[in-house]
Every structure is written in C-alpha cells, then in structure tokens.
Amino acid sequence: MLTIESLSKSYGEHRPRSGDGEAEGEGAAPERVNAVDAVSLEIQAGELFTLLGPSGCGKTTTLRSIAGLERPDRGRILLGERVLFDGSSGVSVPANKRGLGMVFQSYAIWPHMTVFQNASFPLDVLPRRKRPAKAEIRARVERVLEVTELSSFADRRATKLSGGQQQRLALARALATQPDVMLLDEPLSNLDAKLRETMRFELTRLQRELGLTTIYVTHDQTEALAMSSRIAVLNEGRVEQVGRPRDVYTRPQSRFVAEFIGTSNFIAGRVGERVGELVRIETAATPVWSAAGAATPAQGSEVLLAIRPESLRVAAASSTEPLAAGAATRNEWPATVVSQAFLGDSIDYVLAAGPTELRARCNPSVALAPGAPAHVAVDPADVLVMPAA
Ligand SMILES: Nc1ncnc2c1ncn2[C@@H]1O[C@H](COP(=O)(O)OP(=O)(O)OP(=O)(O)O)[C@@H](O)[C@H]1O
Ligand SMILES: [Mg+2]
C-alpha cells in the first residue's frame, strides 16, 4: 500500500532552539545530522503501523517526508503504484495532493469555529463531486466526536478547550476525512494516563472498523505494543527491527530493541555445545541454557543473552518445589535478594546470583525480604541470544 525505499534526510546545521536561553555559538561548526538514514518500509493496507523510538530518532522527519512537508535527500515513496516522491527523478507530489490525513505533534485547530465545525470543515470544503452528502458528514463528525469524547463540546468554541481536548479535536478532524493513509504523530501525548488508555482503545477500534491504513508515531513502548499491527523500531535514523508487537517484544534482534521495549537482564557469553534442542551458553558465572534455533550463532561466537524480568521465576531458598525441570540442562541458580519494590499487581526484585545482578518481576505472592536466600530459574525458551555487538 505505502512503500518507502531507502529514504534519507539530513540537516546541515544545528536546529535553532529558541527559548532555551543557550545561544548557539555563531562560530560553531555546522554539524550534519542524519535524521533519516536509508529507511525502507512496506506498509500494508489496513495496518496500524507504528514508528517507535527515542526522542530524536527521526520519527517526525520520516512522517513529514511521507506527508510531503519535508523534502528528503534521497529515496522513493509510493502510495500503491503512485509515486509520491522520487529523489532520482525529482518527482514530488505536493502535500495537499497526496490524499493523506495528518495529526502532528504541534497541531492547530481553527479558533473562530466551534468544535463541530472544526471537525466538519475539511469535508465541507471538498469539491462537490468528492464531498459526502450533508447527512453523511454529520454522521461521520458525530461519530468521531463520540470516539474522541468531545460530543458534549460540539457547539463550544474550539479556543475554549483544554490542550488535551484540542489535541483530540485535531485527531477527530483527521479521522472524519477518512483518508487513504492516516499519519499520526504522538496524537495522544497531551492526554492524562486514563484518557490516553481509553483513546488508544477507541482509536484502534475505529481504525479497524474503517480499515484506515495508519502510520502512528510514538516513543511510548506500551502504546506501540497495545495498538500496532506492526512496529518499526528506529534508532538514530535507522530501522533496527520491524515486526508484530509480540515478536519485537519476545524476539528482539539487538540490544537496543531489547532495552528500548521493556527492560531486560543482559549477560555476556559465548556459544557452547548443543544438546538436543538446547544450546549451552558459557557466561562468566555459570552456563545458561537457551532454546537452539536456526538463527543461533555458531559455536564459539560471542553473544549477549537477554532475559526479561517477568521470565525469571523466584522462590524462597527453603522451597522444596523445583523451579526448573531437567537436571543437567536446567537454568536454576541460588541467589540473594538485594532489594524489592511492591508495585501492587507485581513485586520487582533485584537479586544477586553470584556476580550477576538480575531483575525479576514476580507475582506479589512471592514475598522475600532483602538479604533472604532465594532460587531463581528461567525457561531456556525465554533466554534470548543476540549477537554481542
Ligand atoms: N528542521 C530541522 N533542522 C535541523 N535538524 C533537525 C530539524 N528537524 C529535525 N532535526 C534533527 O533531526 C533528528 C530527528 O528529529 P525528529 O524530529 O525526526 O525526531 P523524533 O524521533 O520525531 O523525536 P521526538 O520524539 O523528540 O519528537 C534530530 O536530531 C533533530 O534534532
Ligand atoms: Mg517527533
């Protein structure tokens, strides 16, 4: 549906930063920033495709390039068969001819209109042959105002809304036009936690119902995991990994992804022998068993193990129940509780297993005080093996 091929965009100078009181030195050498660096993506029709990454990784620049608000240095952007941008031939379809709906990080609403008029305006001004019937416009606007929880403000002046309400209005307005592709740049960033959660849910529901192909930008991993059909994790302008939320979470292909999406325990090691379905990884303290697969690096390779805190099972040292099955190939170690934090629905532990410090997230029924001896275990299937670099 939307194809992005080797898209690159760099900026030649320091970005002017107004208002942070720190004047950029006049003589400072301009520094090139590769905001987007050879990014290739293929977005399917009806997908909610998320660009996820830390601040400054190039999410907004990628989205603005797709929208036609930024001119990339290189690459191609296609909507179906239609070329929107081609760096080598110089083709660049103007933003208003691309048929894309957008909500940007800095959104603007029309102050002289009511909430309802704001949402219906882009439809009202469509050329006659493209414009839906009046009743259809009304129905669509009512629907999107409902989804964004703005129905009760329909007749209010848009200026008399809070920041979060204005953000929802910008979203409602874009949704009402039902564009070929929706581009959303952190559209929920100004909302409180509870409203954000409701809106996530409503937005995905509406997106699925209308089959709206959506590119969603966020730096919030939870939001990305909860909403996306697929996620592209970006780091310094490059794509680190693309995959379904579950795959990106459970099978991160790099330390960056494993660290950015959730937290992980990392242990350096070297690949040892295979025993049946398992592979032995030698680490400084103890061998760790992992499920072997086609992607497992060859024996002798330096690797990095990643273990999610929720994959670790913790029990009091006095417990007689074995934590892990299989005598010789089990991952079970004695440990000492270093600290614990009660989080309501779980308890976080920091454990010392020999020289290795491990973070574990457990059911609150596991109650161990700091200093207590414990056992910690992990299923080999939950030990992820990644290249060391
Ligand atoms: N107009 C510009 N001029 C110079 N540099 C820019 C410009 N816009 C972006 N950059 C730089 O390009 C990089 C990517 O910026 P971008 O806005 O795409 O990041 P982002 O992933 O959207 O971050 P955030 O989560 O903070 O919104 C950053 O290093 C940024 O400083
Ligand atoms: Mg941004």
Side-chain angles (χ1 to χ4, degrees):
M1 168 100 191
L2 188 79
T3 311
I4 296 159
E5 291 171 1
S6 308
L7 196 74
S8 293
K9 170 78 186 171
S10 62
Y11 293 105
E13 303 153 350
H14 283 297
R15 194 177 195 172
R17 292 195 185 276
S18 50
D20 64 4
E22 206 190 297
E24 295 279 5
E26 260 135 50
E31 173 188 307
R32 274 204 100 72
V33 180
N34 292 325
V36 179
D37 195 358
V39 165
S40 295
L41 299 167
E42 178 77 56
I43 291 120
Q44 312 295 337
E47 262 194 317
L48 194 154
F49 190 94
T50 298
L51 304 178
L52 173 68
S55 183
C57 73
K59 306 180 295 289
T60 296
T61 308
T62 305
L63 212 62
R64 285 176 58 86
S65 301
I66 298 169
L69 298 170
E70 204 75 65
R71 197 183 172 91
D73 305 329
R74 279 181 300 284
R76 292 212 306 164
I77 304 170
L78 292 100
L79 184 60
E81 305 278 283
R82 192 170 155 232
V83 178
L84 298 183
F85 175 81
D86 187 342
S88 48
S89 69
V91 170
S92 183
V93 175
N96 59 351
K97 300 270 160 61
R98 293 195 179 191
L100 310 170
M102 304 163 232
V103 178
F104 280 101
Q105 239 170 331
S106 47
Y107 44 89
I109 43 129
W110 292 299
H112 56 286
M113 294 182 190
T114 66
V115 167
F116 190 96
Q117 288 162 344
N118 256 279
S120 72
F121 185 72
L123 294 169
D124 295 335
V125 298
L126 282 176
R128 210 186 170 79
R129 61 196 164 78
K130 285 193 182 164
R131 187 167 61 219
K134 261 203 141 54
E136 161 74 10
I137 294 183
R138 170 157 283 276
R140 272 202 218 174
V141 171
E142 280 171 357
R143 176 76 204 282
V144 296
L145 291 184
E146 201 177 302
V147 164
T148 51
E149 298 190 18
L150 289 171
S151 301
S152 55
F153 303 111
D155 299 321
R156 192 185 278 197
R157 282 244 162 184
T159 40
K160 299 197 170 150
L161 294 177
S162 72
Q165 289 163 342
Q166 292 186 14
Q167 188 171 33
R168 280 183 276 152
L169 179 54
L171 182 59
R173 189 174 59 190
L175 286 168
T177 61
Q178 301 184 1
D180 292 340
V181 179
M182 281 275 286
L183 306 176
L184 304 177
D185 194 351
E186 314 242 5
L188 309 181
S189 59
N190 278 347
L191 310 182
D192 63 66
K194 187 143 182 14
L195 188 56
R196 191 155 60 216
E197 207 177 306
T198 327
M199 291 285 300
R200 263 179 210 160
F201 183 74
E202 290 298 333
L203 189 60
T204 5
R205 201 176 62 168
L206 189 74
Q207 183 268 334
R208 297 229 170 96
E209 265 178 42
L210 299 176
L212 284 178
T213 307
T214 304
I215 306 184
Y216 193 93
V217 162
T218 182
H219 62 264
D220 181 334
Q221 317 85 299
T222 319
E223 194 161 290
L225 291 171
M227 296 181 70
S228 316
S229 316
R230 287 190 302 149
I231 299 172
V233 184
L234 299 185
N235 178 22
E236 295 184 351
R238 294 181 154 271
V239 177
E240 286 268 336
Q241 189 170 349
V242 180
R244 290 178 305 163
R246 183 174 291 273
D247 297 334
V248 174
Y249 187 84
T250 58
R251 297 273 161 246
Q253 284 161 9
S254 63
R255 179 177 185 138
F256 178 84
V257 174
E259 241 167 6
F260 190 72
I261 303 194
T263 46
S264 278
N265 295 291
F266 293 103
I267 307 166
R270 185 190 297 270
V271 179
E273 55 166 346
R274 285 196 185 209
V275 178
E277 315 254 272
L278 301 178
V279 59
R280 186 182 153 108
I281 312 290
E282 306 298 342
T283 74
T286 165
V288 178
W289 294 91
S290 171
T296 305
Q299 190 162 353
S301 309
E302 302 283 346
V303 291
L304 191 66
L305 302 179
I307 304 172
R308 297 278 185 204
E310 65 271 24
S311 300
L312 287 170
R313 294 192 302 279
V314 180
S318 58
S319 167
T320 49
E321 266 179 70
L323 286 167
T329 56
R330 69 189 190 189
N331 293 323
E332 181 173 348
W333 311 286
T336 309
V337 175
V338 176
S339 65
Q340 58 111 300
F342 178 70
L343 301 176
D345 51 0
S346 63
I347 296 187
D348 275 5
Y349 285 106
V350 176
L351 303 150
T356 313
E357 202 154 84
L358 296 170
R359 300 183 156 273
R361 174 159 289 190
C362 303
N363 187 291
S365 63
V366 183
L368 297 168
H375 274 304
V376 57
V378 61
D379 193 324
D382 293 326
V383 176
L384 312 174
V385 180
M386 299 181 292

